[in-house]
């Protein structure tokens, strides 16, 4: 058992546990904070896979932006601090069963991969960042998805404003 | 390979532990005389009125939304910036196009009044 | 005098391997010790930073500042710390205990974590991440999380309101900060902070991108919550904001986090734009590099204290308008212009530095022109609102 394996197992367990606590926490704000723990666990897993850039992007975007958005949504729409969402779903055992079946199926698939069972994965070289940068603007590689991503972000921005904006003065005047 | 992160893995927990020790010192060494009045919520010295909640204002949420979009955009631009030195002009212009599309989004938000703190 | 830091490191490793430890474990132990020493020194340095700031502020306000405790008052913060330990941390009812106690710890951790990637001298740094710049941004985002946790768990509407406004401010100013961080990354060709300092061998980046440096400094000061952007804890505004219900050393930790962050802003600016430890003779004498590093950081820190003493507090709507209507569009234009001009100059064979300086000058002129026109239109609108003939003689009499 190398140190890397121990760290990986511990991180995986923490991430899973945090995921379970997200759905099992009685207080919504606690659930949001457990989500942050789970996202941080995923960031550590990225570090273990030698994907430094993805790890910091995970923290910057998911924890620094999306988690804050989720917490804002919870705090702005819940009047009482101790308010809790519904916690017990009578058919929770069915969800657990289907999750276990899915997990078993995935495990069966993965064990058939030739690389499974190696103790140390063949990780990519640490400096693939320059390659990533050129691939984003290379016409033969990811240029089109790159520009489409910006259009997608623009659409998200406009859509979010259209949904979240309070009534404008025209509507009030017309009503 | 994971060498650089070992220091960070040590520094972050230590950075969490040292203030924890300080706060613990404060709890253990300081007086502890709780009473009913000290335990009430602070509202400029008067009795609290109403529950603890804040009027829902869409502007908080809208700013956070705009922030998410621009954060993701900035993160996309970092690999482009790292590969900048080896790029040709048309590649740089493609990155600038990405940036300008989102600048247009900011302009749209501005004109629609989403950037006002109502 | 070749490399004192490497010497100490090697001596320690030899000592420990001599006791029978493997070299790998010895390296890990060295890193652990380094992290512990760094965190402790940072938190202890705050004792003197806070006094220095108070004395400087006092001088700006034509008074002495603290000068009773110790020679020239240097032990004032130690006295404050001892006082804070003795204060009862009045914990209100109805709080969310785990979140309440975790919040100040997260705020301090987020500032201490930034120092992991800062190069103090050639070869002397915590670690060298190849994504150092984004790492700094990500750790800073955790501080924002700490503040929102503090405001929420206090069961106090002022704390909650203060936390919302604080997060709106922090989150908004992160955008121009991240966008201007693209400039050193572009000029150095790497996100690693050590690589950025290495790339400033011939020229500090502030000479190639002065506007970007200015925008970075302004957004960093706003991220820190210093005046004129200290709405997060303006005493007369929102009764201390998100840390109302924190007393004693728990409040002390928020305070320490803020002052350490102020110094960290100076360090980051000097590392990314002023060349960090670079200076005449720094490569041959690393201790000289360490001296340059701290000197530059202290100068920038002094400038932020100067700004704090000189400007009144900005209102929340002015704050957000300044960011989204001025700094963010400016940052976007700076990035686009710098990228295009630098590549154009490189391809055409012009001097890149002159082309960038010219572009920055044109942009600055354009910015002042736009600001001037905006100011004129605001003044004209205000005068027309006053509207009557009584306003006109008053204006011409001035």
């Amino acid at each position: 058992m190398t140190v890397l394996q121990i760290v990986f197992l511990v991180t995986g367990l923490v991430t899973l546990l945090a995921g379970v606590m997200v759905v099992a926490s009685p207080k919504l704000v606690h659930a949001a904070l457990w989500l942050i723990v789970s996202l941080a666990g995923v960031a550590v897993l990225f570090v273990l896979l030698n994907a430094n850039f993805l790890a910091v992007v995970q923290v910057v975007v998911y924890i620094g932006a999306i988690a804050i958005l989720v917490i804002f949504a919870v705090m702005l729409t819940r009047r009482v601090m101790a308010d809790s969402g519904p916690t017990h779903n009578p058919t929770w055992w069915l969800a657990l069963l289907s999750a276990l079946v899915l997990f078993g199926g995935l495990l069966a698939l993965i064990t058939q991969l030739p690389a499974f069972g190696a103790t140390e994965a063949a990780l990519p070289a640490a400096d693939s960042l320059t390659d990533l940068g050129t691939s984003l603007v290379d016409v033969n590689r990811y240029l089109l998805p790159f520009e489409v991503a910006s259009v997608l972000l623009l659409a998200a921005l406009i859509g979010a404003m259209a949904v979240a904006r309070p009534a404008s003065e025209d509507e009030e005047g017309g009503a | 390979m994971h060498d650089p992160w070992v220091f960070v893995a040590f520094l972050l927990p230590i950075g969490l532990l040292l203030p924890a020790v300080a706060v613990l010192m404060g709890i253990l060494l300081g007086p502890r005389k709780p009473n009913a009045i000290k335990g009430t919520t602070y509202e400029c010295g008067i009795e609290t009125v109403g529950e603890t909640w804040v009027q829902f204002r869409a502007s908080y949420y809208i700013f956070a939304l705009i922030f998410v979009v621009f954060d993701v955009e900035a993160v996309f631009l970092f690999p482009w910036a790292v590969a900048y030195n080896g790029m040709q002009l048309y590649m740089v212009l493609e990155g600038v196009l990405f940036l300008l599309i989102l600048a247009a989004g900011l302009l749209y938000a501005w004109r629609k009044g989403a950037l006002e703190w109502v | 005098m070749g490399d004192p830091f490497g010497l100490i490191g090697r001596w320690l490793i030899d000592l420990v391997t001599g006791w029978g430890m493997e070299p790998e474990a010895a390296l890990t132990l060295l890193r652990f010790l380094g992290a512990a020493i760094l965190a402790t020194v940072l938190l202890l340095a705050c004792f003197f930073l806070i006094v220095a700031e108070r004395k400087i502020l006092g001088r700006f306000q034509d008074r002495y500042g603290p000068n009773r405790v110790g020679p020239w008052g240097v032990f004032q913060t130690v006295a404050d710390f001892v006082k804070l330990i003795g204060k009862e941390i009045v914990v209100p009812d109805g709080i969310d205990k785990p979140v309440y106690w975790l919040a100040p710890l997260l705020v301090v951790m987020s500032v201490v974590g930034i120092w992991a990637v800062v190069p103090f001298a050639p070869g002397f740094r915590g670690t060298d991440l190849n994504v150092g710049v984004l790492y700094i941004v990500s750790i800073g985002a955790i501080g924002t999380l700490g503040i929102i946790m503090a405001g929420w768990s206090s069961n106090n509407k002022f704390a909650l309101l203060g936390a919302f406004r604080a997060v709106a401010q922090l989150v908004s100013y992160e955008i121009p900060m991240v966008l201007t961080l693209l400039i050193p990354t572009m000029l150095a060709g790497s996100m690693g902070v050590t690589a950025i300092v290495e790339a400033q061998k011939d020229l500090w980046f502030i000479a190639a991108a002065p506007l970007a440096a200015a925008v970075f400094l302004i957004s960093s000061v706003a991220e820190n919550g210093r005046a004129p952007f200290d709405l997060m804890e303006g005493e007369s505004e929102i009764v201390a904001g998100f840390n109302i219900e924190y007393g004693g050393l728990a409040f002390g930790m928020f305070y320490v986090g803020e002052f350490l962050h102020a110094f960290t802003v100076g360090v980051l600016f000097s590392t990314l734009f002023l060349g960090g430890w670079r200076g005449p003779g720094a490569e041959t004498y690393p201790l000289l590099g360490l001296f340059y590093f701290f000197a530059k950081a202290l100068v920038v820190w002094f400038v932020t204290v100067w700004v704090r003493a000189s400007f009144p507090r900005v209102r929340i709507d002015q704050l957000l308008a300044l960011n989204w209507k001025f700094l963010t569009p400016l940052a976007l234009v700076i990035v686009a212009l710098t990228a295009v001009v630098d590549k154009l100059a490189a391809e055409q064979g012009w001097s890149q530095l002159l082309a960038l300086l010219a572009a920055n000058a044109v942009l600055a002129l354009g910015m002042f022109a736009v600001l001037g026109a905006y100011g004129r239109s605001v003044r004209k609108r205000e005068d027309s609102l006053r509207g009557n003939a009584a306003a006109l003689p008053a204006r011409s009499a001035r």
Side-chain angles (χ1 to χ4, degrees), chain C residues 119-362:
Chain C
F120 295 94
F124 182 43
R125 68 218 180 292
T127 183
D128 182 25
L129 289 177
N130 70 331
V131 289
V133 157
L134 263 190
Y135 165 79
I136 291 174
V137 175
S138 66
I139 295 293
I142 296 186
T144 311
L145 205 66
I147 289 179
I148 211 179
M149 281 165 61
W152 172 260
S153 65
S154 299
N155 193 21
N156 182 329
K157 32 170 113 68
F158 291 112
L160 196 56
L161 195 56
F164 280 147
R165 292 164 90 174
V167 169
Q169 173 184 331
L170 291 175
V171 133
S172 299
Y173 278 90
E174 205 172 309
I175 294 298
M177 193 174 87
V178 174
L179 285 175
T180 47
L181 280 176
L182 280 171
I183 307 282
T185 311
M186 270 198 278
L187 295 174
S190 162
M191 278 202 264
V193 184
T194 316
I196 291 179
V197 174
E198 294 288 326
Q200 296 187 62
K201 194 163 30 132
D202 304 315
L203 188 72
W204 291 355
F205 284 159
I206 192 174
L211 268 183
V215 172
F216 177 74
L217 189 61
I218 296 176
S219 2
S220 296
V221 167
E223 274 285 308
N224 188 20
R226 304 270 288 191
F229 306 109
D230 62 349
L231 204 66
M232 301 205 289
E233 42 167 48
E235 284 94 33
S236 55
E237 301 252 350
I238 195 162
V239 205
F242 61 87
N243 52 18
I244 295 177
E245 298 285 8
Y246 284 88
L249 269 184
F251 165 74
M253 287 300 111
F254 280 118
Y255 200 64
V256 157
E258 179 188 327
F259 275 91
L260 190 57
H261 197 169
F263 188 59
T264 310
V265 163
V267 161
L268 284 177
F269 184 81
S270 70
T271 306
L272 295 171
F273 288 100
L274 293 180
W277 49 258
R278 290 214 169 265
E283 285 90 352
T284 39
Y285 301 114
L287 279 182
L288 208 57
L290 191 67
F291 167 73
Y292 288 137
F293 171 81
F294 278 114
K296 290 179 199 174
L298 282 173
V299 166
V300 180
W301 175 77
F302 175 77
V303 169
T304 59
V305 174
W306 191 356
V307 166
R308 178 184 182 183
S310 316
F311 286 101
R313 187 175 296 143
V314 178
R315 239 173 30 219
I316 182 85
D317 61 318
Q318 294 170 331
L319 189 80
L320 293 171
L322 176 70
N323 179 59
W324 290 108
K325 298 186 185 175
F326 177 60
L327 283 182
T328 304
L330 185 63
L332 288 168
V333 171
I334 288 176
V335 171
L337 201 65
T338 305
V340 171
V341 165
D342 194 45
K343 190 53 73 172
L344 210 60
E347 284 197 346
Q348 302 288 340
W350 307 333
S351 158
Q352 283 173 294
L353 175 63
L354 286 179
L356 281 176
L357 277 178
N360 268 295
V362 166

Side-chain angles (χ1 to χ4, degrees), chain A residues 51-65:
Chain A
N52 289 346
F53 179 65
L54 285 179
V56 282
V57 165
Q58 170 86 359
V59 179
V60 169
V61 174
Y62 264 109
I63 298 182

